[in-house]
Amino acid sequence: MNIKTDVLVVGSGIAGLFAALKVSEFADVVLITKKDKTESNTNYAQGGIASVMDPSDSFDRHINDTLIAGAGLCNKKAVEILVKEGPDRIRDLISIGAEFTKKNGKLDLAREGGHSMHRIVHAADLTGAEVERALIAAVNEKKNIQVIENCLAIDLLTEHNVQQLKDQPLQNRHCWGVYAIDVTKNEVFKITSKVTILATGGVGQIYLHTTNPNIATGDGFAMAYRAGARIGNMEFIQFHPTSLYESKPDPNKPSFLISEAVRGFGGILRTSAGEPFMEKYDQRKELAPRDIVARAIDNELKKRGDEFVYLDVTHKKKEDIQEHFPNIYKKCLEAGIDISKDYIPVVPAAHYACGGVVVDVNAQSSLIGLYACGEVSMTGIHGANRLASNSLLEALVFSYRAVNDIKKNLGSLSTPDHIPEWNEEGTLTADEHILITHSINEVKQIMWNYVGIVRSNLRLERAATRIHAIYTETENLYKKTKVFEDLLELRDIVACSHMIIKSAQQRKESRGLHYTLDYPSANSMEEPEDTILQNVHP
Ligand code: FAD
Ligand code: SIN
C-alpha cells in the first residue's frame, strides 16, 4: 500500500500537529505516528510555554534569559525570532481551542528556573495534554489531513536509495519521503512526498532514567544521520533536576516529573538531612538554570552517598498547592507522599535533547525538501542548555515558519518515480526477540553510567567501545532479519548513542549541559562552535 502525497509529516506531537494544520490550508497532508496519536513528549509536558505575554515583561529580557541559559552557544538570530514571534503563536493556540489557566481574566503566568520574570503560560500542571487535545481536535476536523497511527518511519528516502543517483554530492540531495512499517501487520511500504517534515521528538529513552515516554527513541535523529543530513550539538542532553524518586521504578514507565514550576512556586531543595544546599552552588539557588541545579543535586548525592534529595513545598498553603499542581499532588499522593506535609524525594532524569537535525530559521535541513521541527531539530535557540519551557514555544514558532517556507517552495519540488520498493529478500523472521530487549537495556545502562551529567575521557571511551559492539551486533541482525518495531528502535537508539558520545568526545571543554572532569571549564572562545556530525557515505 504505497502512498504518495504533497507533504508528509512524521510525528504527532506539538510540532507535527501544528505543522499539519497549517499545511492543510494549502496542500494535502499525510501524518504518520508510530503509536496512538496522543503518545508524544508533548502530552506529558507540565510547566508550560514561555512567552512575553505581560506588558511588564520584555522581549529583551526573554532573549537575555535564553542566551544566559544557553551558555554562549545560542544562535542569537534564532532566539530573537523565537521570542518575538512567540506571543502570536500562543494566540494561535488559543484560537485553535487550547484553554490556559487564567487569573482575574488574564493568563496566569508562572515562573521557572532561569527566567527573570513570570512568563510561563500553562494549563495547571498538564499543559502538554491540553495543547495535544486542542491540536488533535482541530486536525480531526480537516478532511485533507490523513492521520495514520501505528506507522513507524524506518528511513528517509533520498538519492542513496536509488542506484543511479548514489554518487550525487551531499549538498544536492533531496528527501522524498520515508520507508515506513505498519507495526500492527509488520508490513513495510513507501510514502513518497515532495516535502517531509520530521517532527519525531526526543531521545530520552536511551537513558535508564528518563521523563520521556517510550516513543522517545531518537528515530528522527538517527534517520536523518543515516541519510546524510547535518546533525549538531548532540552532546547537550538535558537532565531535568527533579523527577520523582522511586525505590522500585517500573522499567516500562517514564520517571514522573516534578515540574520546575514547583521550584518557581517556592519549592526548596534539601539534602536527606533536611539542609537546603542550592545557595552553595548559585546565587539564584533553586531558580538557577537546569544544568546547574542538576549538577548540584548530582554532587550532593555522590558526596553523601544518597539516592535522592528532597524538594520541599510544605511551607506553602495546601489549597495553593492543589490549585497550581493538581496532577503532581495526586500522583505523589498515590505514591504515599502528601506534598503539603511531606518532602518529595527527587532525582535528575534524562529529559531533553538540545541538539538535533541542523536547520535554518525556516526549519529547512541540509537535505532539500526535509524540514525538521520541534525537539528533533537544532535551530540553535537552546545552545548548550535549554531554558525551561522554551521547547514547546520553539516547536510552534519554527513549525509555523517551516510551513510558510514550504508554501513558497512546494511548486518547485517533485518526487521521482523510480524509488525502489522495500527489499526484504533473503531475510528471516527473528526468533530471539529477547536479545533485542537485552541490547536496549544494555544501551540504557551504558549511557546512564558513562554519558550522564558528569563525563570524562575514560568514561566516554568506555561507552564508545561498548556501544560499537552493540552496533555491530544490531547491524548484523538488521541485515538478515525481517524488520519489526523493537529492532528498528534499537537500531535508532544505538545510532543516537553513537552521535552523543562522538559529539561529547569532540567537545574539549565543559559548557552548559556537557560537563567533563578532563576539561572542567569552558574554553574562552569569543564565538564557541557547534559540534557538527555528518555521515558522508549514506
Ligand atoms: P513529541 O511531542 O515527542 O512528538 C513526537 C512524535 O513523533 C510522537 O507522536 C511519536 O510517536 C512520533 N514518532 C517518533 N518516532 C517516529 C517514527 N519513527 N515514526 C513515526 N512517528 C514517530 N517543554 C516545554 O516547553 N514546557 C514544558 O512544560 C515541558 N514539560 C515537559 C515534561 C515532560 C515530562 C517531558 C518529557 C517533556 C517536557 N517538555 C516541556 C519538553 C517538550 O514536551 C518536548 O520537547 C516537546 O513536546 C517535543 O515536541 P515534538 O512535537 O517535537 O515531539
Ligand atoms: C517542567 O515542567 O519542569 C518541564 C519544563 C520544561 O521541560 O521546559
Side-chain angles (χ1 to χ4, degrees), residues 46-47 112 240 257 259-260 290 351 386 388-389:
Q46 292 186 355
E112 292 179 348
H240 197 291
L257 184 74
S259 173
E260 188 141 331
R290 261 178 213 173
H351 185 64
R386 172 172 71 90
S389 288

Side-chain angles (χ1 to χ4, degrees), residues 20 28 43 53 67 119 142 164 191 212 219 258 296 307 326 328 362 373 385 404 415 494-495 521 530:
D28 292 344
N43 209 28
M53 302 300 286
L67 297 178
R119 64 165 74 93
K142 298 284 177 187
Q164 57 273 37
I191 308 179
N212 292 191
D219 306 1
I258 307 294
E307 304 235 314
I328 293 173
N362 293 319
C373 300
N385 175 42
N404 283 343
T415 25
V494 171
S521 40
D530 294 323

Side-chain angles (χ1 to χ4, degrees), residues 10-16 32-37 39-50 112 127 132 151-154 199-202 211-213 215 217 219-220 223 255 257 351-352 373-376 386 388-393 395 492:
V10 187
S12 59
I14 185 169
I32 62 169
T33 187
K34 70 180 183 182
K35 291 212 180 332
D36 178 279
K37 58 189 163 200
E39 196 53 356
S40 57
N41 274 0
T42 301
N43 209 28
Y44 291 72
Q46 292 186 355
I49 316 179
E112 292 179 348
T127 308
E132 190 79 12
C151 179
L152 183 144
I154 301 173
T200 44
T211 61
N212 292 191
I215 52 101
T217 48
D219 306 1
M223 288 189 282
S255 307
L257 184 74
H351 185 64
Y352 185 83
C373 300
E375 191 166 339
V376 71
R386 172 172 71 90
S389 288
N390 263 355
S391 166
L392 296 172
L393 189 69
D492 291 339

Side-chain angles (χ1 to χ4, degrees), residues 166 184 215 217 273 402 423:
K166 271 192 165 123
T184 59
I215 52 101
T217 48
N423 181 2

